[in-house]
Amino acid sequence: MKKIILILVFLISGCTTIMGPANFDNYEYGLINKIYTLSEIYKINCADSNRTKLNFDNLSVISMELVNYSTDIPNNEGTIKLVIPLYKMISSADIKMNTENHSITYCKLKLDNIETTSGIIKHAVAERRRP
Amino acid sequence: MSFQDDLNKLLGSSNPYAQLLGQKVKNINDALEAKTISADEAKDLLNDINVATQIANLAQDLENQILAQKVIDGLIYIIENISSI
């Protein structure tokens, strides 16, 4: 009986390793949290177009770093599916801010959308099992 | 149902995410009426809300997977303790 239980445990734990999402990763969470926090802070600078361009450049770099980092973590498909659309949202906004005229309200609402989206991701990623 | 009725329904929803979504749409509509954003900007911002909704669904899937993993880990711990007795 004891042997059967041990085999069962081995099989279940094997399946978990293969199928379960990656464990919590401090650096990955830190990048998501940085995007969330900066998108809130940067709203103050929306009236300054030069500063706004630099701010969106920075958000774009951090979100690209996040995608590059997340894609190298094994069993991380669930998170990759979340961070790629966030990166696309930020990078297209960055191009817009650097190439087109935009209103202050648009800048604030765009940052608000980035904050909400990164907040959803942050909440899900924070739930991951600690190693 | 008019747009305003649907929006009020969303704003009065008991689901916090639905409320947040409603508030975002209201902010875009208000800005459009006040002419502080253009029609193209409004469309772009509404597209973000669609993306955020898809991400929210995917995030829920991930949270369910994480919860399932935690439950399996918990049961393995219990079984290991039983088998060591």
Side-chain angles (χ1 to χ4, degrees):
Chain A
M1 183 66 184
K2 200 173 174 181
K3 273 184 184 172
I4 294 168
I5 293 171
L6 284 172
I7 291 166
L8 195 69
V9 168
F10 178 76
L11 285 173
I12 293 172
S13 59
C15 289
T16 311
T17 312
I18 296 164
M19 294 164 67
N23 283 345
F24 181 83
D25 186 294
N26 268 330
Y27 190 70
E28 187 181 46
Y29 181 80
L31 288 171
I32 301 165
N33 193 38
K34 206 169 193 176
I35 293 169
Y36 175 79
T37 308
L38 289 177
S39 58
E40 190 178 0
I41 291 169
Y42 286 165
K43 286 176 199 165
I44 305 163
N45 303 127
C46 276
D48 184 338
S49 69
N50 286 331
R51 192 107 184 248
T52 294
K53 283 175 188 173
L54 292 173
N55 289 344
F56 272 86
D57 286 347
N58 192 33
L59 283 175
S60 187
V61 169
I62 300 166
S63 65
M64 185 186 267
E65 187 182 348
L66 174 63
V67 170
N68 289 340
Y69 186 82
S70 296
T71 47
D72 280 343
I73 300 175
N75 298 332
N76 205 25
E77 290 74 19
T79 304
I80 295 165
K81 280 183 194 169
L82 303 177
V83 298
I84 288 177
L86 176 68
Y87 164 68
K88 285 180 181 170
M89 184 189 287
I90 294 172
S91 62
S92 67
D94 182 38
I95 293 167
K96 233 181 233 303
M97 294 296 170
N98 277 286
T99 56
E100 296 172 18
N101 289 328
H102 58 270
S103 63
I104 296 168
T105 309
Y106 173 74
C107 168
K108 284 183 180 173
L109 291 175
K110 178 58 86 174
L111 287 169
D112 198 53
N113 286 346
I114 294 168
E115 185 189 340
T116 303
T117 310
S118 54
I120 293 166
I121 301 170
K122 188 170 79 76
H123 183 265
V125 169
E127 291 291 316
R128 291 201 320 213
R129 191 179 58 167
R130 263 59 177 173
Chain B
M1 271 276 193
S2 70
F3 161 73
Q4 199 56 54
D5 288 337
D6 288 338
L7 182 58
N8 288 339
K9 211 172 168 181
L10 208 55
L11 288 167
S13 166
S14 57
N15 181 328
Y17 183 70
Q19 266 185 26
L20 179 68
L21 201 77
Q23 191 56 54
K24 282 182 169 295
V25 175
K26 187 183 180 301
N27 291 343
I28 295 168
N29 186 46
D30 289 349
L32 202 56
E33 281 181 0
K35 293 189 166 74
T36 52
I37 57 169
S38 68
D40 282 345
E41 286 175 339
K43 277 184 197 170
D44 180 58
L45 293 166
L46 288 170
N47 184 53
D48 288 345
I49 297 174
N50 268 332
V51 173
T53 305
Q54 286 164 22
I55 286 179
N57 290 331
L58 291 167
Q60 190 58 58
D61 287 348
L62 179 63
E63 284 186 45
N64 289 340
Q65 283 176 38
I66 293 164
L67 190 61
Q69 188 187 30
K70 283 179 179 173
V71 169
I72 290 168
D73 288 350
L75 185 58
I76 287 169
Y77 179 78
I78 291 165
I79 295 168
E80 278 174 344
N81 280 340
I82 291 169
S83 61
S84 65
I85 295 167

